[in-house]
Amino acid sequence: MAEQQQNLASLDSSIMDRLPSYSSTLFEAKTQKQLTFETIAKHLGRSEVAVAAIFYGQARASPEDVAGLTHLLGISTESNVASQMMGFPDRGRAGPMPPVEPLIYRLYEIVQNYGYAFKAVMNEKFGDGIMSAICFNSKVEKEVDETGAAWVVITLKGKWLPFTRF
Amino acid sequence: MAEQQQNLASLDSSIMDRLPSYSSTLFEAKTQKQLTFETIAKHLGRSEVAVAAIFYGQARASPEDVAGLTHLLGISTESNVASQMMGFPDRGRAGPMPPVEPLIYRLYEIVQNYGYAFKAVMNEKFGDGIMSAICFNSKVEKEVDETGAAWVVITLKGKWLPFTRF
Amino acid sequence: MAEQQQNLASLDSSIMDRLPSYSSTLFEAKTQKQLTFETIAKHLGRSEVAVAAIFYGQARASPEDVAGLTHLLGISTESNVASQMMGFPDRGRAGPMPPVEPLIYRLYEIVQNYGYAFKAVMNEKFGDGIMSAICFNSKVEKEVDETGAAWVVITLKGKWLPFTRF
Amino acid sequence: MAEQQQNLASLDSSIMDRLPSYSSTLFEAKTQKQLTFETIAKHLGRSEVAVAAIFYGQARASPEDVAGLTHLLGISTESNVASQMMGFPDRGRAGPMPPVEPLIYRLYEIVQNYGYAFKAVMNEKFGDGIMSAICFNSKVEKEVDETGAAWVVITLKGKWLPFTRF
Amino acid sequence: MAEQQQNLASLDSSIMDRLPSYSSTLFEAKTQKQLTFETIAKHLGRSEVAVAAIFYGQARASPEDVAGLTHLLGISTESNVASQMMGFPDRGRAGPMPPVEPLIYRLYEIVQNYGYAFKAVMNEKFGDGIMSAICFNSKVEKEVDETGAAWVVITLKGKWLPFTRF
Amino acid sequence: MAEQQQNLASLDSSIMDRLPSYSSTLFEAKTQKQLTFETIAKHLGRSEVAVAAIFYGQARASPEDVAGLTHLLGISTESNVASQMMGFPDRGRAGPMPPVEPLIYRLYEIVQNYGYAFKAVMNEKFGDGIMSAICFNSKVEKEVDETGAAWVVITLKGKWLPFTRF
Amino acid sequence: MAEQQQNLASLDSSIMDRLPSYSSTLFEAKTQKQLTFETIAKHLGRSEVAVAAIFYGQARASPEDVAGLTHLLGISTESNVASQMMGFPDRGRAGPMPPVEPLIYRLYEIVQNYGYAFKAVMNEKFGDGIMSAICFNSKVEKEVDETGAAWVVITLKGKWLPFTRF
Amino acid sequence: MAEQQQNLASLDSSIMDRLPSYSSTLFEAKTQKQLTFETIAKHLGRSEVAVAAIFYGQARASPEDVAGLTHLLGISTESNVASQMMGFPDRGRAGPMPPVEPLIYRLYEIVQNYGYAFKAVMNEKFGDGIMSAICFNSKVEKEVDETGAAWVVITLKGKWLPFTRF
Amino acid sequence: MAEQQQNLASLDSSIMDRLPSYSSTLFEAKTQKQLTFETIAKHLGRSEVAVAAIFYGQARASPEDVAGLTHLLGISTESNVASQMMGFPDRGRAGPMPPVEPLIYRLYEIVQNYGYAFKAVMNEKFGDGIMSAICFNSKVEKEVDETGAAWVVITLKGKWLPFTRF
Amino acid sequence: MAEQQQNLASLDSSIMDRLPSYSSTLFEAKTQKQLTFETIAKHLGRSEVAVAAIFYGQARASPEDVAGLTHLLGISTESNVASQMMGFPDRGRAGPMPPVEPLIYRLYEIVQNYGYAFKAVMNEKFGDGIMSAICFNSKVEKEVDETGAAWVVITLKGKWLPFTRF
């Protein structure tokens, strides 16, 4: 159980002022109930990444999500939290860019080092356009190789949007 | 054939001074031979992303890659290009950060918006550490959904590195 | 009605300290009364964009606007809010630039990518000068194309100001 | 005719190194032929803004555009320019951001001052999502009011993309 | 009188933390007494610009200014405000640079666009040196032209300081 | 005469790449002919500041200015310079911001320190709006006080533009 | 004893808001108990650098560390501090970069001046890859040379990670 | 031998303009002679890090170093290179900060994450002062652990400088 | 006496959050006691610059300084202030860089304009190294020239540190 | 003599493009003639700092300086160099700010750490104003203490400019 506790993500108090106020409420209830994002995501029928994004104020909760979350986390549906979670997120301000957190920086570094390579490959496969980050989903999976080493597999899937000719 | 020509990535002259000098040589030969990264990658037995990264000076070519590339592209193995490609890349300077190219910006935006969500999910799945961007590979795939719409699927796979306790 | 609630813009608590204090009062009353900017704009005889700008402290309210708003939103005309709204806005500090919010970033990207194109076309149509952003109005409209897809149409209309010869 | 010459947009030599090399070729030919973007756009059946964007290396030319442009401007279809124009643009690097050119700055200022207002109005009209800057078109028009004063009317039209629920 | 109220400058709550604490006290009293900077300046025998600068903590008040201001604004001379106003201002932190407020940005833009022109003209008129911004005064005046249009006339007057030869 | 030579503004070679190419031609001819901006301005019937701005590529020359300048400076009217000078300036890139040149920095510092004071005074005198930097003129004058000390007097005169109500 | 007190690191109140809230609790208890990091590190069987990193919220405490620290520092194991210390650190935000603290700046300067030298030497010794900052440990030692002068010896030890070929 | 060639550090052409001109000469000769920094350092009796720093223009060569280098690399002692290498280096401009090269970034990240920890430990061990980066030396060593994995060991050794009391 | 009061430096409330909490205590007591830094410095037998630096949290107080200051300023030696002042300062965060305060900016400008000149002169006088800013002292003196004009004379004295050869 | 050569400051080729073109000419002649700034300064009757500043394009040469320099350095008085040196310097662009050169950084750090202390002491000694960096001179001296250690003594002397009351 001690081990389980350690693997529960919580909210660093020093970034709270960059997030909507319901973020702390959600994280506190999650810690209180000792729930992982995996458990919550299954309960809501959504991706773990999306659920974590809701907790950080970077994705919008639907009425069903709010109902599910308030029930699972024991938050009053009458509270402000419920209505705030259905607001339109003001995305992108959770952390500094370039990221200073080593884990997030590695993702940034991938964009920095392979950005043009991704562009060239996509342009050849799809033409002139972009991969949408809106009409988009993502998941994180764990793989263990033959030596027992763990690997992270992140899938980024976005709709291809060709530039309109006008 | 005109269509095929359009889907060949080439090098914008205005970024050449941020790349090693062999980048232009490689791209020019690629254009000359009308080769896609897919074709080149198959020839070298490597990922398209890695091959494009070599072209942009962001990955190192092995002696076998150099042999394969010079043969396929018709570059003299005696040229400086061959030896330069086996140098140690000075990575990360191909483009500005934050990216201004819309396609690359979308990848950056994913890190900006979902960075903390990725961190929280990985911490719960793996503990305290990072996904390596060095012990790492990536691929880009195309999927077409039932409506005929194209989707980009990027896979980022990196070894999990736990923080050493000291 | 649940749907209607979701489409009410509200104020993210984390940006309040960059806005005048009346912004929260206005947004709270708007949420309380379940009013859209469209409704409020019709009531005041103004553009939705202008009304939203007043709420974010980026436009000045006239005495008539204040009267209309306080009446519609149920705010005491004796309150500080009324007098503050008639102050001279200290514009431009609502969000970071470059924008990190995806919706606002797209507008920024349009300026980044098409800025010189707009300049060249305007110079040829009007001569040497600028489009005013002060003697200016704007509106947002919705169009639905033949496939049922929704399009946003933003109109930016500004007076042409030629550079004075001196 | 002197007047006509003055209203021809040309390329400032000091920004050439941020643009693809075909930009100067195109602008020089345009100056030589004394053609406005309006004339060229009509010839190609495209928007003036899009044509100017091609000249600045911010939009891709189709084979038909290349054929039309090389014919109209008297550029050899065998030249590198023709093939380069069909490459995939490396967008976004034409000018500094924040813009320092007064005309372009005014557009930036509109995003800075009205960004949140646009977001709030769009969220209420369309839900949670963004206006695409890719599946997008734009035009610039001139209006003269009853006092004889000229107004610029910029229309930005982009497809609405709702955030995917995942 | 409603009109008169509208033309009273007040202090936006969101910049208070960048100003000395007496700034709010002064602005509140000014609002309370419905006094313009013109009235206050006449009372103190100083320039309006200087008086506004005192209110924003950018200029030092002399004992006579403090006496005049506390009397006119009804502030106790025993208060901390009086002694604080005679402190040495910590100038330059009132707003961000580059300015985001459109009115202040225009002044910045004048420096950006005409900076070298001012330097060249001054060098030819005065030699090698600078115009002092310390041994300096300024005023703002209103002119109305024959068409009834209002013009702002700002005068910046600074002592010429030649570089010392050493 | 040695003294006269010293008070001729010339162009530092290290900023040439930020200016249009005709800037060097103009400055070289000016040096060659030993002409001050005062002399040139009188010849063209324009302000010294505007003439210096033309030399730095920050203002547009009219056909009459071009005729006058080429005649006075001995530049061939057939040269590219003549046509380039009638192009639309790409303003604002002559020097870095914040300025590092002490003379130009002092002007910047005035905006930094007195920006809000100017805004407050203008708002009270004119209402909600800005002083135009486009519909604008400026002059630099020399005054000598009773002690024989020289003072610079810069006049900035811009049309007042009230924010449009929409 | 006075001397001993002076050599106890404590927490500057002005950086508290960039650190997790348990940082102040730990530092206050450390000051109260007059403990050095050397003493605490010996007690926990860890490196002084790691222990100081835990205090600054830059490293994670294991359950054993928490037990040891709460016992040694007299903090209730029931307190929030205990559970917060086992959370996943949000690293990298303790101080500004570039550092302004002279001691930390010197380390930064070493990276700035010798960065490429380190890279070249490592590439020759190890091939294409990086030294991990995650699978990493560090220590600080004191040496006194023959003249009695003190020297700091910092050891940075990280696992070599070769770039994966893909 | 192919392997040996790969482990020779060379100079990326795209950073040459940030280094003194003798850098390319030295690197070219080193490549020509197939010499590692280890070999050169032994020849000169200096540290590999210092020798690499000389090649990147970040350390000064003594007359003996110049003699040794020109002899070993086959550079004429009469050449400009010899005299330039004895000039005073203009340090710190070899690469961007924050570093974008992954290997150099990891060193930067160590400073970012452990900076305050290093400071606290040094202050407790040495008092109030800094570790000198001038009266300083460094080495890079390779260790192989029991599992055969390679580790980098960087030693940073600098004189302790206490703040002067004045 | 009024004059004397005006020449007492005090602390602007808006920078307090960048300084250690004892800064306000010290400044308040200084104001209360109407003491100049000159008086305090004489009392402590230290330089005025050093004493002011202690007040701004940029220098460390010795036990004797603390005893002297608490006695002179009437601060309880039992208070937290006494122990905090003997902590290790977290230097460099008092104000923004580049400085915006005109007085501090002038010092910055001297470094900007004469930095390379200082370096060249020191290199010729001392060799390859730096002037220490740690083993360093400074004083500010007033001189009055024959015309009665006041001059500031700042002396910066630092130990010369040659780069170690390694 | 070898020693003497080493202590001659020369110009790093990589900063030439930020300096006026006469800088290289002057430095090359200085190297050719093996002259120190001390020798040149004595010849011209000026300060070493001022002479070095002329070489870096940061100070203006008088006709006498030009005569003296061209004679001493063997530069033709008919050359462009002579006339260029009498131009008005475009100061402040020689190096990046914050400085990356360790020697120059230390001066910057002094401003960063002691800036407010200098301000407070000057305000108490002189009132409200600044030390001029224009009506200014400076010198660098060497002192050797009783232990034989060398110290740098920089004197910055500037006229006190009180803020004008207006």
Side-chain angles (χ1 to χ4, degrees), chain F residues 9 12 21 24-25 31 33 36 38 42 44 54 70 104 136:
Chain F
D12 187 308
S21 55
S24 348
T25 314
T31 299
K33 299 272 182 181
T36 60
E38 191 181 14
K42 275 183 189 148
L44 299 184
I54 288 174
T70 49
I104 302 175
F136 166 84

Side-chain angles (χ1 to χ4, degrees), chain C residues 46-47 50 60 65 88-91 116 119 123 127-128 130 134-138 161 163-166, chain F residues 46-47 50 60 62 65 88-91 116 119 123 127-128 130 134-138 161 163-166:
Chain C
R46 297 196 63 175
S47 149
R60 194 190 191 193
D65 296 332
F88 299 103
D90 188 6
R91 293 165 167 93
Y116 272 103
K119 173 170 158 60
N123 283 161
D128 191 28
I130 63 153
I134 307 300
C135 190
F136 166 83
N137 62 67
S138 180
L161 300 181
F163 277 95
T164 300
R165 188 171 189 273
F166 66 99
Chain F
R46 297 197 63 175
S47 148
R60 194 190 193 193
S62 70
D65 296 332
F88 299 103
D90 189 5
R91 292 166 168 95
Y116 272 103
K119 173 171 158 60
N123 283 161
D128 190 29
I130 63 155
I134 307 299
C135 190
F136 166 84
N137 63 67
S138 179
L161 300 182
F163 278 95
T164 300
R165 188 170 190 273
F166 66 99

Side-chain angles (χ1 to χ4, degrees), chain J residues 2-76:
Chain J
E3 182 57 27
Q4 195 171 12
Q5 181 185 30
Q6 287 173 42
N7 281 344
L8 276 185
S10 54
L11 188 60
D12 187 309
S13 56
S14 64
I15 70 159
M16 280 180 193
D17 61 350
R18 288 203 299 262
L19 305 181
S21 54
Y22 63 76
S23 285
S24 349
T25 313
L26 293 179
F27 270 105
E28 276 162 28
K30 175 179 178 296
T31 299
Q32 191 70 26
K33 299 273 182 182
Q34 295 278 307
L35 297 166
T36 60
F37 282 122
E38 191 182 13
T39 306
I40 303 172
K42 275 184 190 149
H43 186 83
L44 299 184
R46 297 196 63 173
S47 148
E48 285 168 87
V49 175
V51 171
I54 288 173
F55 272 64
Y56 281 103
Q58 306 296 312
R60 195 190 191 193
S62 70
E64 293 72 28
D65 296 331
V66 172
L69 276 169
T70 50
H71 180 259
L72 185 64
L73 296 167
I75 297 170
S76 161

Side-chain angles (χ1 to χ4, degrees), chain A residues 65 90-91 116 128 165, chain D residues 65 90-91 116 128 165:
Chain A
D65 296 333
D90 189 6
R91 294 164 166 95
Y116 272 103
D128 190 29
R165 187 171 191 273
Chain D
D65 296 332
D90 189 6
R91 292 165 168 95
Y116 272 103
D128 190 29
R165 188 172 190 272

